[in-house]
């Protein structure tokens, strides 16, 4: 039985305990059972459908547009511990609809959120480009007015989660009101839009649905704009400000599973007349992972609580949570592999799977190096404004 004592921390309310129990019960019964690593598309679609039927997607795709970050983090923490693709499926429904929930019009919410909540339509968040990932100001995709109440989208997006299987995409493009990040706008684009196509699919270490998108003068109505003209950077950063700490929560779930595997192996594997646990180096590995997991949990749930409490921006706290938790997960997974020896690098073993799953978390939604830059700049600003 997983340790849930952290739910007694003052960050949580009784409803969060009930939600955690609901997600845990669903995940134990369905998360790993619905995953076929040889069919990432089919598995993701099946997971989203099953989550929708179970009512779990009411949290990442809320009717009222209000996102509860602690609930999002709890779900990702639990789902990642069971199956990485289950966490992915849940999280992308939130990230792909987040701009609509947070900044969209009532009509846009009605058009997107019900189907996403039911699990019958997948969503995607299309920000990154071949030459613009962490540097959002370098986006080159262009949205030009065509003079008839429409825009024409031209450009490419890449590393897009749910690319190729999503029904709707939130696409960020340059509308030119100002240079750099101030000249961007966000648009809701449907998968059947003429001029929009899937250029290629991307295979990565841990199978997930990813694609490069192409826009060839794709015509979209002006009322597909999310927020105001030139608000694209605000929409993107506002959404990521909510979901960045949830990436830390997913990493936390992976780290918890890695710690469990390490402890189980150490206590059950006998070597030289004793268990691996009797070796002080094994105890050190377990102690380090356990301590880092606890610290990550505190950072993740502090950031989530601050956002839910109404703190306007939690960029610094969310970056700390993501940085610490993802780096912790990598170390915990590595220790799990090491203590399993040959089994740890055997295809199909959970330790090997975890090692592949956690690596991407140190890259997407802001690489660890970028998080360090964000944190350092925030510290400088705090000192100068004190």
């Amino acid at each position: 039985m997983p340790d849930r004592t952290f739910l007694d921390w003052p960050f949580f309310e009784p409803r969060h305990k009930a939600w955690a129990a609901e997600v845990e019960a669903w995940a134990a019964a369905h998360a790993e059972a619905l995953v076929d690593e040889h069919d990432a598309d089919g598995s993701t679609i099946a997971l989203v459908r099953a989550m929708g039927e179970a009512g779990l997607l009411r949290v990442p795709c809320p009717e009222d547009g209000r996102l509860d970050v602690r609930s999002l983090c709890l779900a990702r923490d639990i789902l990642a511990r069971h199956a990485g693709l289950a966490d992915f499926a849940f999280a992308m429904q939130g990230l792909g609809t987040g701009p609509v929930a947070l900044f969209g019009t009532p009509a846009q919410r009605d058009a997107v959120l019900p189907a996403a909540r039911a699990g019958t339509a997948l969503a995607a968040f299309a920000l990154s480009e071949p030459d613009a990932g962490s540097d959002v100001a370098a986006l080159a995709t262009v949205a030009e007015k065509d003079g008839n109440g429409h825009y024409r989208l031209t450009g490419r997006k890449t590393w897009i989660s749910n690319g190729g299987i999503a029904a709707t995409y939130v696409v960020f493009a340059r509308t030119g009101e100002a240079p750099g990040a101030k000249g961007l706008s966000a648009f809701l684009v449907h998968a059947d839009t003429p001029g929009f196509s899937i250029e290629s699919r991307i295979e990565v270490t841990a199978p997930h649905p990813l694609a490069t998108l192409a826009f060839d003068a794709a015509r979209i109505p002006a009322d597909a704009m999310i927020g105001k003209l030139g608000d694209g950077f605000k929409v993107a950063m506002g959404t990521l400000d909510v979901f960045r700490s949830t990436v830390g929560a997913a990493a936390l779930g992976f780290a918890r599973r890695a710690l469990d595997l390490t402890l189980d192996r150490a206590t059950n594997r006998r070597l030289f007349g004793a268990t691996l646990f009797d070796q002080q180096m094994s105890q050190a590995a377990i102690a380090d992972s356990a301590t880092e997991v606890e610290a990550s949990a505190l950072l993740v749930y502090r950031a989530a609580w601050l956002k839910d409490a109404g703190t306007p921006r939690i960029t610094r706290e969310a970056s700390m949570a993501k940085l610490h938790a993802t780096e912790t997960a990598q170390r915990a997974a590595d220790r799990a592999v090491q203590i399993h020896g040959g089994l740890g690098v055997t295809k199909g073993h959970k330790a090997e799977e975890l090692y592949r799953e956690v690596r991407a978390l140190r890259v997407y939604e802001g690489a660890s190096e970028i998080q360090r830059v964000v944190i350092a700049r925030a510290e400088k600003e705090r000192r100068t404004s004190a």
Side-chain angles (χ1 to χ4, degrees), residues 12-373:
F12 301 107
E13 302 168 23
R15 62 188 176 87
H16 292 115
K17 289 188 179 183
W19 167 246
E22 180 182 353
V23 178
E24 181 67 49
W26 183 91
H30 303 291
E32 289 187 274
L34 289 172
V35 174
D36 176 358
E37 194 167 282
H38 301 292
D39 183 10
D41 286 7
S43 297
T44 302
I45 292 168
L47 284 160
V48 169
R49 184 179 296 119
M51 289 178 189
E53 291 174 353
L56 299 187
L57 297 180
R58 70 185 186 275
V59 168
C61 310
E63 288 188 39
D64 59 6
R66 297 175 62 184
L67 290 161
D68 184 273
V69 188
R70 284 169 292 177
S71 294
L72 289 170
C73 286
L74 283 169
R76 295 200 68 178
D77 184 348
I78 294 166
L79 291 168
R81 182 166 46 78
H82 285 273
L85 203 57
D87 163 65
F88 171 91
F90 177 89
M92 288 309 112
Q93 284 299 91
L95 184 62
T97 60
V100 177
L102 294 169
F103 300 96
T105 64
Q108 289 169 341
R109 290 178 184 171
D110 290 343
V112 172
L113 294 179
R117 189 181 310 117
T120 57
L122 278 70
F125 183 88
L127 179 65
S128 296
E129 296 181 4
D131 296 315
S134 299
D135 185 6
V136 177
L139 291 184
T141 297
V142 175
E144 298 177 308
K145 290 182 179 179
D146 73 356
N148 191 27
H150 285 73
Y151 282 85
R152 297 277 185 178
L153 271 177
T154 301
R156 297 166 69 226
K157 297 289 181 179
T158 195
W159 308 114
I160 306 307
S161 297
N162 281 348
I165 60 174
T168 57
Y169 297 78
V170 175
V171 181
F172 297 86
R174 187 163 300 286
T175 44
E177 291 69 42
K182 296 181 180 179
L184 304 175
S185 297
F187 298 89
L188 181 63
V189 180
H190 293 274
D192 59 359
T193 300
F196 167 55
S197 63
I198 304 301
E199 181 178 292
S200 62
R201 299 301 300 273
I202 302 170
E203 293 188 18
V204 288
T205 308
H208 291 77
L210 291 170
T212 296
L213 319 178
F215 300 90
D216 183 10
R219 192 167 186 262
I220 55 175
D223 62 9
M225 184 179 291
I226 300 172
K228 298 177 182 178
L229 191 66
D231 273 358
F233 185 77
K234 173 185 174 182
V235 171
M237 294 303 106
T239 303
L240 292 175
D241 206 42
V242 168
F243 284 92
R244 184 162 286 136
S245 55
T246 78
V247 180
L252 176 60
F254 286 131
R256 291 190 201 276
R257 185 64 178 270
L259 174 58
D260 288 345
L261 290 173
T262 302
L263 188 56
D264 287 346
R265 178 69 171 177
T267 54
N268 290 304
R269 172 66 168 171
R270 295 191 66 81
L271 190 68
F272 303 122
T275 66
L276 275 175
F277 186 85
D278 293 318
Q279 303 293 326
Q280 288 187 345
M281 292 181 69
S282 297
Q283 293 177 24
I286 292 166
D288 287 346
S289 288
T291 302
E292 291 176 351
V293 163
E294 288 291 302
S296 293
L298 285 165
L299 286 168
V300 165
Y301 289 112
R302 176 191 68 155
W305 171 75
L306 284 171
K307 189 64 177 177
D308 288 339
T311 304
R313 294 297 302 273
I314 59 162
T315 304
R316 171 180 174 271
E317 292 80 7
S319 290
M320 286 180 170
K322 181 184 185 295
L323 173 65
H324 193 280
T326 55
E327 295 292 331
T328 287
Q330 189 72 64
R331 290 189 291 270
D334 188 69
R335 293 180 188 118
V337 167
Q338 193 71 15
I339 205 164
H340 279 81
L343 284 176
V345 291
T346 302
K347 187 75 171 174
H349 193 280
K350 191 64 181 182
E352 181 268 345
E353 177 190 320
L354 279 173
Y355 190 83
R356 289 185 288 109
E357 285 279 5
V358 302
R359 188 60 183 85
L361 273 68
R362 295 170 59 210
V363 175
Y364 75 73
E365 289 192 40
S368 292
E369 291 77 10
I370 297 299
Q371 302 310 323
R372 290 184 172 97
V373 170

